[in-house]
Amino acid sequence: MSHNMNLLGHKLRNSNVIGVISIIVILVSVAECRAVQYEAINCRKHIAVLTDFGAVGDGKTSNTKVFNAVIKNLSQYENDGGALLVVPPGKWLTGSFNLTSHFTLFLQKDAVILASQDESEWPSLPVLPSYGRGRDAPAGRFSSLIFGTNLTDVIITGTNGTIDGQGSYWWGKFKKKELTLTRPYMIEIMYSSEIQISNLTLVNSPSWFVHPIYSSNIIIQGLTILAPVDSPNTDGIDPDSCTNTKIQECYIVSGDDCVAVKSGWDEYGIKVGMPTQHLIIRRLTCISPDSAMIALGSEMSGGIKDVRAEDNTAINTESAVRIKTAVGRGAYVKDIFVKGMTLKTMKYVFWMTGAYGSHADSGFDPKALPEITRINYRDITADNVTYAARLDGITNDPFTGICISNVHIKVSAAKKKLQWNCTNIAGVTNNVTPQPCSLLPQKEGQSCSYPKDILPIDNVQLKTCSL
Ligand SMILES: *[C@@H]1O[C@H](CO)[C@@H](O)[C@H](O)[C@H]1NC(C)=O
Ligand SMILES: *[C@@H]1O[C@H](CO)[C@@H](O)[C@H](O)[C@H]1NC(C)=O
Ligand SMILES: *[C@@H]1O[C@H](CO)[C@@H](O)[C@H](O)[C@H]1NC(C)=O
Ligand SMILES: *[C@@H]1O[C@H](CO)[C@@H](O)[C@H](O)[C@H]1NC(C)=O
Ligand SMILES: *[C@@H]1O[C@H](CO)[C@@H](O)[C@H](O)[C@H]1NC(C)=O
Ligand SMILES: *[C@@H]1O[C@H](CO)[C@@H](O)[C@H](O)[C@H]1NC(C)=O
Ligand SMILES: *[C@@H]1O[C@H](CO)[C@@H](O)[C@H](O)[C@H]1NC(C)=O
């Protein structure tokens, strides 16, 4: 917009055909200003455009230095109303760069941030304390494409601009076991609070897409996340040791869990001891043929509690809200509330696994048994399902307090299959078809509970900002 104004200034000074033309230009400028409005936790006083700092949007020139330099420059406004960086239409190739506080990264429609496939553009970081090692390789890990740590008030949004992780390079190295460091994530924000990620299209992340960790007060909404359904570990959104998170209106197609709720791995996660809690996920649409719509775990060693999932839809997905854990994980998954799910073409509607395996190293404590309790599901319809449920607790550590009510599952053809396969679990059901296993006896007249209070993150009102 400041460009238009400068242009206008020149015209006013230099042209003698101003009159009508200027008025038209002013009207168009005003219309443009009105048009670009967006919702955010905070608006910003200072605005910069990536091209003002010499970025080249040809999809070939690296802009890593430009991104880092301009954001460093804009960090001077942290305590002066904050700053917003406009990424205009174009293909902006870049390696990893860091965000700052009181800052908004704004991707206009037709802006594409394209991740570099040159490893020298990706600095390494130490492993996460609650994991003890990298997921792909024991040593360090590549910094994420968009990375932030120890921040307050950071926003990544736009008018549906795109971030393209160009993941095929990394998926190939992963499959050939050629990685010496763990693959980068697309967006990772650590030790931060007041985070908003919204109204963007994210495609082909090298690994997980959105990874807030050790953070709080997070709003994630209006994301379209797309990766091939056979791409490795392309989880959509992974809230990890986070408090007060809202995920809503996202559409995710991926090769791994659409949402994976985590809190650290075995003895490392137990030691850090930061749960994921007070999380709400609503109006998610998920397609993930080999994974879950929402997974709780398998890394849950800091605990997972008070998770609410409302009005979510899965199509051609392996399972719905799945619990994954193992001996050695410790901690708990408790007070989980699921209300309203529409499912179509699923392998399992209900799936809990107590023998997920996959340990950080052999140093896990075999006596660290996870406590899985008070898991509530209600108001579910499912069509074209292979198995209603597979619920495997842990021997001498049963999963308890399971409640399932008002659930109608249409299973596909093969009637002989064991529809409810239950071991080491306890709970109740009401108004559920087909008939549940004997470990989940019918208890008349009872709907499974769902909290009546509102999470603090749902009280955060977004402001209407304009560019
Ligand atoms: C930030 O960028 C502006 C505009 O290019 C420049 O004038 C200013 O010197 C820079 N400030 C810092 C701290 O780099
Ligand atoms: C980004 O942040 C990480 C972690 O603090 C740091 O190691 C790295 O040097 C930063 N990168 C830049 C370009 O400032
Ligand atoms: C970031 O915050 C964590 C947790 O509070 C702290 O341990 C770490 O030293 C901080 N890092 C920086 C660069 O300030
Ligand atoms: C954003 O773009 C994606 C990819 O083109 C598209 O599927 C999606 O519908 C768009 N979202 C909105 C809200 O326009
Ligand atoms: C952002 O997405 C939300 C849905 O989450 C939608 O209601 C809103 O209109 C979108 N805003 C813009 C500026 O596209
Ligand atoms: C039903 O599910 C099977 C996989 O179990 C799938 O091959 C088939 O296309 C689905 N049918 C419909 C009508 O969606
Ligand atoms: C039922 O679950 C148990 C325990 O996980 C498994 O060993 C068994 O194969 C399953 N049975 C069927 C028929 O799927």
Side-chain angles (χ1 to χ4, degrees):
M1 198 180 82
S2 57
H3 270 303
N4 288 344
M5 292 304 183
N6 288 339
L7 217 64
L8 194 56
H10 282 297
K11 279 189 182 153
L12 285 168
R13 279 193 299 276
N14 300 335
S15 171
N16 36 16
V17 205
I18 42 175
V20 173
I21 294 172
S22 296
I23 290 167
I24 291 168
V25 171
I26 289 166
L27 289 176
V28 168
S29 297
V30 168
E32 271 176 13
C33 291
R34 288 239 175 89
V36 185
Q37 287 197 330
Y38 65 99
E39 308 269 291
I41 48 175
N42 281 304
C43 308
R44 307 301 183 197
K45 187 166 144 193
H46 302 271
I47 295 183
V49 181
L50 192 61
T51 39
D52 292 348
F53 293 77
V56 180
D58 62 1
K60 295 192 176 80
T61 309
S62 170
N63 295 291
T64 312
K65 288 201 175 76
V66 180
F67 270 106
N68 274 304
V70 59
I71 295 171
K72 190 152 196 263
N73 182 306
L74 295 174
S75 71
Q76 69 184 298
Y77 301 118
E78 274 183 14
N79 300 312
D80 176 27
L84 178 146
L85 176 63
V86 176
V87 181
K91 287 195 161 88
W92 310 96
L93 183 70
T94 181
S96 168
F97 62 89
N98 288 353
L99 301 174
T100 190
S101 290
H102 306 291
F103 175 75
T104 301
L105 183 68
F106 191 98
L107 279 78
Q108 291 183 321
K109 190 165 166 48
D110 303 319
V112 182
I113 292 181
L114 212 50
S116 167
Q117 298 185 324
D118 173 354
E119 287 186 21
S120 70
E121 301 255 36
W122 302 81
S124 66
L125 288 178
V127 299
L128 293 164
S130 57
Y131 283 72
R133 55 160 286 166
R135 251 358 216 103
D136 298 332
R141 58 201 200 102
F142 289 103
S143 183
S144 299
L145 178 63
I146 300 181
F147 178 73
T149 191
N150 301 70
L151 305 180
T152 308
D153 177 16
V154 62
I155 301 173
I156 308 171
T157 190
T159 41
N160 207 14
T162 299
I163 305 175
D164 181 347
Q166 301 211 86
S168 57
Y169 168 82
W170 304 93
W171 306 332
K173 285 199 85 168
F174 173 79
K175 283 177 186 157
K176 284 185 245 150
K177 298 191 162 53
E178 285 173 5
L179 291 162
T180 50
L181 296 176
T182 290
R183 282 169 288 165
Y185 303 133
M186 180 171 279
I187 298 171
E188 180 175 70
I189 311 215
M190 290 171 62
Y191 301 118
S192 298
S193 77
E194 295 175 59
I195 300 166
Q196 175 184 340
I197 304 171
S198 59
N199 298 75
L200 297 170
T201 296
L202 312 180
V203 301
N204 298 337
S205 178
S207 179
W208 303 349
F209 276 86
V210 179
H211 185 221
I213 179 164
Y214 319 130
S215 292
S216 60
N217 302 330
I218 303 162
I219 296 177
I220 297 173
Q221 61 183 24
L223 299 183
T224 301
I225 296 181
L226 308 170
V229 293
D230 60 354
S231 55
N233 311 105
T234 46
D235 301 15
I237 303 167
D238 290 25
D240 196 341
S241 294
C242 287
T243 292
N244 275 324
T245 304
K246 166 156 82 177
I247 298 171
Q248 62 186 14
E249 284 113 30
C250 292
Y251 177 89
I252 303 177
V253 181
S254 84
D256 210 319
D257 303 321
C258 288
V259 173
V261 182
K262 297 178 184 286
S263 64
W265 208 3
D266 290 350
E267 68 273 26
Y268 304 101
I270 292 171
K271 188 167 174 212
V272 171
M274 278 183 86
T276 288
Q277 56 187 346
H278 314 310
L279 164 66
I280 182 150
I281 302 163
R282 56 163 79 96
R283 299 186 289 277
L284 166 70
T285 302
C286 169
I287 298 176
S288 182
D290 298 313
S291 299
M293 168 165 67
I294 298 171
L296 306 170
S298 82
E299 307 92 325
M300 39 60 70
S301 301
I304 295 174
K305 69 176 178 206
D306 189 10
V307 175
R308 309 173 186 196
E310 306 180 338
D311 304 325
N312 298 304
T313 301
I315 305 156
N316 192 13
T317 294
E318 190 176 30
S319 64
V321 180
R322 181 183 179 194
I323 296 175
K324 304 196 271 193
T325 187
V327 169
R329 290 285 195 276
Y332 52 80
V333 176
K334 64 186 181 192
D335 301 308
I336 308 300
F337 308 96
V338 179
K339 182 175 77 170
M341 285 200 292
T342 307
L343 309 173
K344 181 161 163 73
T345 306
M346 309 288 291
K347 185 167 181 196
Y348 303 103
V349 172
F350 302 103
W351 196 10
M352 298 182 190
T353 308
Y356 195 74
S358 148
H359 295 289
D361 53 40
S362 58
F364 70 90
D365 175 3
K367 293 200 197 79
L369 300 177
E371 182 194 16
I372 311 301
T373 193
R374 298 192 300 271
I375 314 293
N376 300 278
Y377 300 93
R378 72 182 220 204
D379 310 334
I380 298 169
T381 57
D383 197 6
N384 198 26
V385 166
T386 313
Y387 299 98
R390 176 155 180 185
L391 303 171
D392 305 336
I394 296 173
T395 310
N396 301 320
D397 177 32
F399 298 174
T400 61
I402 296 169
C403 181
I404 301 177
S405 68
N406 189 27
V407 173
H408 302 284
I409 300 170
K410 285 191 194 142
V411 297
S412 51
K415 289 206 178 63
K416 273 184 232 150
K417 284 174 188 157
L418 182 58
Q419 279 300 327
W420 288 77
N421 188 354
C422 307
T423 45
N424 299 305
I425 60 147
V428 295
T429 53
N430 181 37
N431 188 23
V432 174
T433 54
Q435 194 185 355
C437 57
S438 59
L439 294 178
L440 295 173
Q442 162 103 350
K443 193 168 172 199
E444 279 300 337
Q446 190 180 315
S447 265
C448 303
S449 65
Y450 194 89
K452 290 196 176 62
D453 65 325
I454 287 174
L455 288 178
I457 194 68
D458 254 339
N459 285 322
V460 174
Q461 292 288 321
L462 297 184
K463 298 166 186 161
T464 300
C465 309
S466 45
L467 275 188

